[in-house]
Amino acid sequence: MSPPRDPSAPRQAGPADPLQVTQAGAPAPAQEPNLELKARLLIIFMLLLVCGSALYVLYARGAFERTQRLVLIADDSEGVVVGKDVTFSGFPIGRVRQIELASDGKARILVDIATKDAHWLRTSSVFTLVRGIVGGTNIRAYSGLLDDPVLPAGAERTLLVGDAAAEIPKVIAAAKELIENLSSLTSSSGAVGTSLANLQTLTGRLNGPGGALTVLLGSEAEAKKIAVTLDRTNALLARLDSVAAKVDGLAAKTDTQVFGANGVLPETRATVVQLNAMLADARNSLKRVDGILQDAQAISSNAKDATADLGVLRANVEASLRKVDGLVNEINRKWPFARDAEIKLP
C-alpha cells in the first residue's frame, strides 16, 4: 500500500499514463506519423512547381525557339526596353534582347527574330520606331514586296523613328500662326473687317430709295436716269401699241379692197381671162400669118393678091394688139404692181 500523496505535489506521469502534461499544465497533442516525410514531399512538389512555372514562362517567351539575329540602328533608343516585341501586321515575330551604344553614338538594338517567322522579313522591309503621345513605344516591320529575297541573319537595318510628341511644338507653332492670321483678318483694318464694312454699306444702299439700281450703277442719280428711261420706254411701247392697232385696221381694209368680192383681185382675174382670150386670138392670127407667108412663098403668081390679104390680116393683128395694149393699161391702172410686157412681132 502506497503512502498518501501530498495534494500540493505535482503529478508525475508514468510510462503507462496516456496523458502527458506540458510545462504550462495543458495536454500535449498526439504526434502524426510520417510528418517529416510529408513535409519533404511538399517542399519537393513546390520546387517542381516553381521550376515548371519558370520553364513554361521561358517557353512562352520563346527562350527555347530557334532565332536569328537582327540589328536595328537608331539615333536614340528612348522608350525601347529589353524584352519589347517587334511586330509584323500586329503579330509579334521577335523580341529585343540587348541594347548597346555604337562607336558612332547611335543605338544598336539587337533583336531575336523567330526562325519560323523570319520569312516575313525581306531585304526591302522597313522597320519603324513609333512613339505615341499616349501609350508605349512600338517597333514595327513592314514588307511591301514579299517576292524579294529573305532578310539574312545578322542583317543591319536603319530604324525609322516617328515621334508624335516631337510634332507637338510644330503643331503649336502652326496653330499660333493661324491664330495670328485670324486675328489680323478679323481686325478692323483686316480683310474680313473691311469686307464687313463694305457689306454694311451695301446693305444701306439696298435699303435706300434706289435699291439695287443704286448698288449696280453706283449713285442715286444714275438710278433715277434708269427710272426715267424705263418710263419713256413704257410710253413708247404704248404708242407702238396704238400704231400696231392702226396697222391692223389698215391691213383689214387692204384685205377687203384687194381680196374682197368687189376688190382688185377678182377684177384682175377677169381681166386676165380676157387677156388670155385676146392672146389666143393673136396667136391664131399669127398662125394665119404664117400660113399666108407660106402660101406667098409657094405661089409667086398670086403675090399681089396675097400681099393685099397680108395687109388686111396685118391690120387685124394690129387691132388685136391695140386691144391687148388697152387691156394691159387697164390692168396697170387697177393693179398697183405693174410690170412691163413686150410682145415681139415677127
Side-chain angles (χ1 to χ4, degrees):
M1 187 171 179
S2 60
R5 185 176 61 86
D6 188 1
S8 60
R11 180 182 180 185
Q12 298 188 8
D17 191 358
L19 297 177
Q20 295 180 358
V21 181
T22 61
Q23 294 180 359
Q31 185 176 3
E32 186 177 354
N34 301 324
L35 180 61
E36 184 178 357
L37 178 60
K38 293 181 180 179
R40 290 179 180 178
L41 292 176
L42 180 60
I43 292 174
I44 294 172
F45 176 75
M46 293 297 295
L47 291 175
L48 292 175
L49 183 61
V50 171
C51 294
S53 300
L55 292 175
Y56 177 76
V57 171
L58 292 175
Y59 173 77
R61 295 185 65 86
F64 303 106
E65 290 181 350
R66 295 182 58 186
T67 59
Q68 69 179 40
R69 182 56 56 89
L70 172 64
V71 181
L72 300 177
I73 300 175
D75 294 334
D76 63 86
S77 61
E78 183 181 357
V80 181
V81 294
V82 175
K84 180 172 286 296
D85 291 334
V86 177
T87 60
F88 177 84
S89 297
F91 294 91
I93 61 172
R95 186 171 289 107
V96 177
R97 290 300 180 188
Q98 186 178 353
I99 303 173
E100 59 185 23
L101 185 63
S103 59
D104 56 355
K106 294 185 178 180
R108 290 170 55 88
I109 303 173
L110 306 182
V111 181
D112 288 342
I113 303 296
T115 306
K116 63 182 181 65
D117 296 326
H119 65 279
W120 294 112
L121 301 180
R122 305 290 173 167
T123 55
S124 60
S125 297
V126 178
F127 300 90
T128 60
L129 177 64
V130 181
R131 299 190 184 102
I133 300 177
V134 179
T137 304
N138 298 319
I139 301 177
R140 298 170 182 171
Y142 300 93
S143 297
L145 301 175
L146 296 178
D147 296 334
D148 290 345
V150 179
L151 188 68
E156 294 185 0
R157 289 291 183 270
T158 302
L159 187 62
L160 303 178
V161 179
D163 191 357
E167 300 295 330
I168 294 179
K170 297 181 181 179
V171 174
I172 294 176
K176 183 179 179 181
E177 184 179 358
L178 178 61
I179 293 173
E180 291 177 354
N181 292 333
L182 290 176
S183 299
S184 62
L185 286 174
T186 55
S187 62
S188 59
S189 60
V192 177
T194 305
S195 300
L196 291 176
N198 294 332
L199 182 61
Q200 186 176 3
T201 304
L202 178 63
T203 305
R205 290 183 178 180
L206 287 174
N207 295 328
L213 288 177
T214 304
V215 176
L216 293 175
L217 300 177
S219 63
E220 188 176 355
E222 297 295 332
K224 290 181 178 179
K225 290 180 180 180
I226 294 295
V228 172
T229 303
L230 291 176
D231 294 337
R232 291 180 179 178
T233 303
N234 292 329
L236 179 60
L237 290 176
R239 292 180 182 178
L240 289 177
D241 291 337
S242 62
V243 171
K246 292 179 181 180
V247 170
D248 291 338
L250 181 60
K253 292 180 180 179
T254 303
D255 191 10
T256 303
Q257 293 178 358
V258 174
F259 300 101
N262 298 323
V264 177
L265 186 59
E267 295 180 359
T268 303
R269 288 179 180 176
T271 305
V272 169
V273 171
Q274 295 178 4
L275 181 61
N276 289 331
M278 291 180 180
L279 290 176
D281 294 339
R283 190 179 299 110
N284 294 328
S285 298
L286 291 175
K287 288 181 180 179
R288 292 172 60 188
V289 169
D290 291 337
I292 291 172
L293 289 176
Q294 291 177 359
D295 293 339
Q297 291 177 358
I299 304 171
S300 59
S301 60
N302 297 325
K304 185 176 180 179
D305 296 334
T307 302
D309 293 336
L310 181 62
V312 175
L313 183 60
R314 187 177 184 86
N316 293 331
V317 170
E318 288 179 355
S320 298
L321 291 176
R322 282 194 296 272
K323 291 180 181 180
V324 171
D325 185 52
L327 184 61
V328 169
N329 291 331
E330 185 179 358
I331 290 173
N332 290 331
R333 182 177 58 80
K334 293 181 178 181
W335 186 256
F337 306 103
R339 60 179 181 178
D340 295 330
E342 295 181 1
I343 299 177
K344 294 182 180 181
L345 294 176

